[in-house]
Amino acid sequence: QVQLVESGGGLVQPGGSLRLSCAASGFTFSIYTMSWVRQAPGKGLEWVSDITSGSGTRHYADSVKGRFTVSRENWKNELYLQMNNLKPEDTAVYYCVKGSYPGSTPTSQGTQVTVSS
């Protein structure tokens, strides 16, 4: 069965960096677009970024463009999100998603990112 396990979250000061990872199993990772979405406290899901299969074309929400970088290692079945210059409004639970959002939604536990001084 599909399993996605996020890691790398934590508490960081504004302006800091974190690198999230997502280990995938149970499906052919390399042929799927993979997405990152997040949910801030008391708010709904927000799409953050995605990366296609094949050419690895990347897309970003305006709120993270220029600060976040999505990448993947198909041979390792892993997805990453490098987050730089973090802001308090980036505080959220971050989920990796198999496929494109909103067509696909989170099925995993996510990893908590807290940006606070």
Side-chain angles (χ1 to χ4, degrees):
Q1 69 280 17
V2 173
Q3 188 169 16
L4 299 166
V5 180
E6 301 92 344
S7 61
L11 172 64
V12 63
Q13 292 186 340
S17 298
L18 284 173
R19 186 188 193 220
L20 306 184
S21 298
C22 172
S25 61
F27 64 102
T28 305
F29 178 80
S30 61
I31 68 171
Y32 283 90
T33 291
M34 295 296 296
S35 305
W36 286 99
V37 301
R38 66 187 181 185
Q39 187 165 27
K43 297 189 176 180
L45 289 171
E46 176 191 15
W47 172 75
V48 174
S49 179
D50 60 43
I51 181 168
T52 63
S53 62
S55 63
T57 302
R58 299 166 169 85
H59 305 97
Y60 299 96
D62 287 345
S63 58
V64 307
K65 201 172 292 183
R67 301 187 297 121
F68 290 11
T69 303
V70 62
S71 61
R72 64 192 298 165
E73 288 283 6
N74 286 337
W75 68 276
K76 294 177 69 175
N77 289 350
E78 291 193 350
L79 176 73
Y80 307 101
L81 186 68
Q82 177 67 44
M83 306 187 297
N84 298 329
N85 190 21
L86 282 160
K87 304 176 180 181
E89 52 263 43
D90 295 318
T91 295
V93 178
Y94 284 71
Y95 303 92
C96 65
V97 174
K98 169 180 167 279
S100 299
Y101 179 83
S104 300
T105 54
T107 59
S108 51
Q109 297 276 9
T111 187
Q112 175 71 48
V113 171
T114 303
V115 185
S116 175
S117 55

